[in-house]
Amino acid sequence: MFVIAVFAAVAHAALPTPTTEAPITLLGEAALSLRLPLDEETHHALATRDHQGAIEALRATDTQQFSGRQLADHHFLLAWSLLRSDQATAAEKHLAHVEANTFVPADHRHLTVGEIHLASGDTHAAARSFEQIDPTNPVSARALLQLAAVHQKAGATKAAMEIYRSLGEREDPAEGGDIALWALVQKAGRSNPKAASWLRRLYTQ
């Protein structure tokens, strides 16, 4: 048995639209300490963010001898990897296990639970989960961006813009800042003088 440190790296996209349906890559450095007796192939896939490789390796893992905590962490890692490989709906069957997992950091659990709810179309439950995340946690940006998208989809543009403004007010460079600034530019209009400072910040990131 050994401790696995799963690190999520910053991914910078070229001004993606904030209303995109595509999954947003996890922003910021986040470490999840999970105690699982996994082989080197699985460990490597998780450490290098080879999500599809991790899914295949985790599914091939014999869990019959796993303890309660090990099973909980196994379900969590599967859901985590599925959500990051365009297979969000497949993560739904792991929801109950993820919700009950008290071993992973709470903010990562809230993020994962929220994303599963989002995949199932339960935007209200997703919002409740995202809102429980500590705003100082690096994963908060990912959650806030998705929460803003939920508000936009529901027609609550004002609530969405408030989230984008809060993200845009942070010092550059910041996780999710480019998406937030671009959303503000789109809302104001590129020719609007108010958008000039946001555009300058985008071009210098």
Side-chain angles (χ1 to χ4, degrees):
M1 183 181 299
F2 51 85
V3 178
I4 300 175
V6 182
F7 291 96
V10 177
H12 294 288
L15 300 183
T17 169
T19 57
T20 180
E21 295 295 327
I24 302 169
T25 303
L26 178 62
L27 305 171
E29 294 183 359
L32 307 179
S33 295
L34 305 171
R35 297 183 181 277
L36 290 173
L38 301 179
D39 57 28
E40 287 301 317
E41 178 185 356
T42 310
H43 181 276
H44 179 74
L46 290 167
T48 58
R49 299 177 299 284
D50 175 7
H51 302 304
Q52 186 56 44
I55 292 167
E56 294 171 3
L58 287 165
R59 283 175 170 168
T61 300
D62 183 0
T63 62
Q64 291 185 10
Q65 302 302 316
F66 276 15
S67 67
R69 171 171 182 170
Q70 290 170 336
L71 279 172
D73 287 347
H74 187 264
H75 280 288
F76 178 85
L77 282 178
L78 261 175
W80 182 272
S81 299
L82 287 164
L83 288 166
R84 284 151 185 78
S85 59
D86 297 324
Q87 301 176 66
T89 54
E92 292 179 34
K93 67 179 182 180
H94 301 284
L95 176 60
H97 297 282
V98 175
E99 286 182 319
N101 191 328
T102 59
F103 307 113
V104 297
D107 288 337
H108 292 78
R109 183 176 68 252
H110 294 318
L111 174 66
T112 306
V113 168
E115 292 181 334
I116 295 175
H117 281 309
L118 202 58
S120 67
D122 191 344
T123 55
H124 294 295
R128 287 196 299 270
S129 295
F130 292 150
E131 288 168 350
Q132 293 182 66
I133 296 175
D134 181 350
T136 65
N137 191 307
V139 303
S140 176
R142 176 182 172 104
L144 286 172
L145 288 170
Q146 294 185 87
L147 183 57
V150 167
H151 286 317
Q152 279 194 310
K153 193 171 184 179
T157 305
K158 182 178 179 181
M161 289 302 109
E162 287 177 354
I163 292 175
Y164 290 133
R165 286 191 187 92
S166 69
L167 290 171
E169 288 172 354
R170 297 168 302 163
E171 185 176 347
D172 297 328
E175 314 296 0
D178 53 351
I179 298 176
L181 291 171
W182 184 239
L184 293 171
V185 169
Q186 288 186 313
K187 177 62 176 176
R190 294 192 191 188
S191 60
N192 190 318
K194 292 194 300 185
S197 64
W198 297 326
L199 285 168
R200 281 196 297 272
R201 290 171 60 192
L202 279 170
Y203 295 146
T204 56
Q205 287 191 28

